[in-house]
Amino acid sequence: MARTTTVTLQIIQHDAATDLHQPDQDLLEQARSAASRAYAPYSNFQVGAALRLADGRVVSGNNQENAAFPAGICAERTALHAAMSMDPHAVVTDMAIVVPQSKGERPVTPCGICRQVLAEQEQRQGVPVRLLLAGYDASVHEILRAGDLLPLSFDASFLTSGNS
Ligand code: THU
């Protein structure tokens, strides 16, 4: 006998950032601004991220590349690691991710490593991280739980569940 599991992903598509509440628009603007400070001389692909903590603080980051390519780090993790290194008890409620130059059909979505890190952050804090994704035009994609982008992800439970 076989059982089938279907995983669904909900994306809320806003035609214009101005449809969002002002704090969301502000977060997107901070991410857009962070992108302009990215260090991306190799890809010329500038990414900005800005996250909001439960207490209202905003932390931003951008991609930081290196001539040894794998040493580079994405905007999302730059922002998240900065926030969590400042305050290990911080709770991230929202993250805006903006690639101002991206004119694709949909805004850029986080890479696999960032999805893994965001998923663990949700488990760590017990609160979902809401994502706002934007590109060149005014449309914004909203994903209510970052972990939804990485179904069946690896997590700490596997490290302790009878593998010895
Ligand atoms: N990048 C990010 O910062 N975030 C993403 O979501 C996708 C990719 C960066 C990594 C690298 O510096 C450049 O974009 C091209 O892959």
Side-chain angles (χ1 to χ4, degrees):
M1 197 180 121
R3 278 181 300 275
T4 303
T5 304
T6 304
V7 178
T8 57
L9 170 65
Q10 187 184 60
I11 304 173
I12 305 163
Q13 303 184 13
H14 303 273
D15 289 338
T18 46
D19 293 344
L20 296 164
H21 294 136
Q22 194 59 49
D24 287 342
Q25 294 187 44
D26 293 346
L27 201 63
L28 283 159
E29 197 42 52
Q30 299 227 38
R32 195 171 295 276
S33 164
S36 72
R37 302 188 295 274
Y39 179 64
Y42 305 104
S43 70
N44 284 315
F45 190 81
Q46 298 191 306
V47 185
L51 60 84
R52 180 173 294 108
L53 302 177
D55 65 9
R57 283 178 292 174
V58 171
V59 177
S60 66
N62 45 38
N63 50 330
Q64 296 290 318
E65 297 185 348
N66 191 280
F69 293 174
I73 184 168
C74 294
E76 295 90 325
R77 277 174 291 144
T78 303
L80 189 58
H81 293 326
M84 299 315 292
S85 59
M86 279 192 304
D87 178 0
H89 303 295
V91 172
V92 181
T93 55
D94 312 276
M95 178 185 281
I97 303 161
V98 179
V99 182
Q101 74 191 61
S102 161
K103 297 180 181 176
E105 268 179 29
R106 58 177 175 82
V108 168
T109 36
C111 80
I113 298 175
C114 289
R115 293 178 195 207
Q116 178 73 28
V117 171
L118 285 161
E120 179 147 337
Q121 180 63 31
E122 288 187 329
Q123 293 189 351
R124 180 176 174 184
Q125 63 186 24
V127 171
V129 178
R130 174 174 164 263
L131 300 181
L132 296 171
L133 313 173
Y136 174 79
D137 68 12
S139 70
V140 177
H141 284 196
E142 178 181 4
I143 295 168
L144 297 177
R145 285 172 300 274
D148 288 355
L149 283 173
L150 194 62
L152 304 178
S153 63
F154 182 81
D155 64 35
S157 67
F158 292 110
L159 298 175
T160 51
S161 58
N163 288 322
S164 55

